[in-house]
Amino acid sequence: MSTAVALVLPPSPAELPPGKYMSQGLVRICPQGFYRENWVDFDDAIGTLCLACNPGITTDGAGKGLRSDCNVVLAGYGVSTYDNVTDPSTVTPPTPTENGGGLPNATMCDIGYYSLKGQCVSCPSATVTTVKGAKSIEECGELPERGANLKQS
């Protein structure tokens, strides 16, 4: 009776590791907010490019090699919207998409909302943010006087 033996060879020296890309003949690290999976040949021009995380999402640093590393929501953005929150501790962080896909797209929090744990949460009653992309509840202020313009930045 024979036994099959699996032989795993290391990548060839002409291959680029995940989390890195080629530029001007030099191996460089994918910047924060980008990733590159799999080992690829140096001469694969498309395969050596880093891919951007979904909109409003980034990585926790540079040199990431998996799409699932796109797991940080940018400040001022949210994956979901929570209305009428009386207890901010009930807001839960977003969960990654299936199959290691990282977080889904995030959108800039609208006027009247602020970013908390990767979600957009409505300001407390009788308060509002005056710009899109508010990063904390401290940006919720008293409602402006009637007729005042809110900034659409």
Side-chain angles (χ1 to χ4, degrees), residues 8-149:
V8 178
L9 298 173
S12 81
E15 288 188 335
L16 190 63
K20 299 195 171 150
Y21 70 102
M22 288 289 291
S23 176
Q24 299 175 340
L26 298 173
V27 175
R28 300 180 190 266
I29 295 172
C30 292
Q32 183 171 3
F34 291 80
Y35 68 96
R36 199 186 60 66
E37 299 181 318
N38 305 320
W39 287 83
V40 294
D41 290 330
F42 282 133
D43 58 359
D44 180 355
I46 300 298
T48 62
L49 299 175
C50 297
L51 302 172
C53 294
N54 288 335
I57 306 295
T58 190
T59 58
D60 65 1
K64 300 303 177 177
L66 296 171
R67 185 170 184 219
S68 61
D69 290 325
C70 294
N71 58 10
V72 178
V73 179
L74 293 169
Y77 286 75
V79 172
S80 300
T81 300
Y82 283 70
D83 288 312
N84 304 317
V85 174
T86 55
D87 180 3
S89 68
T90 63
V91 175
T92 58
T95 56
T97 57
E98 295 179 17
N99 303 323
L103 291 175
N105 293 354
T107 56
M108 185 176 286
C109 295
D110 222 345
I111 290 176
Y113 292 81
Y114 65 96
S115 179
L116 176 69
K117 298 180 189 175
Q119 309 288 14
C120 292
V121 179
S122 62
C123 289
S125 180
T127 65
V128 69
T129 58
T130 58
V131 294
K132 291 178 89 171
K135 297 174 177 71
S136 72
I137 194 170
E138 284 78 27
E139 293 184 61
C140 295
E142 290 183 23
L143 290 170
E145 291 183 27
R146 188 175 191 117
N149 288 330

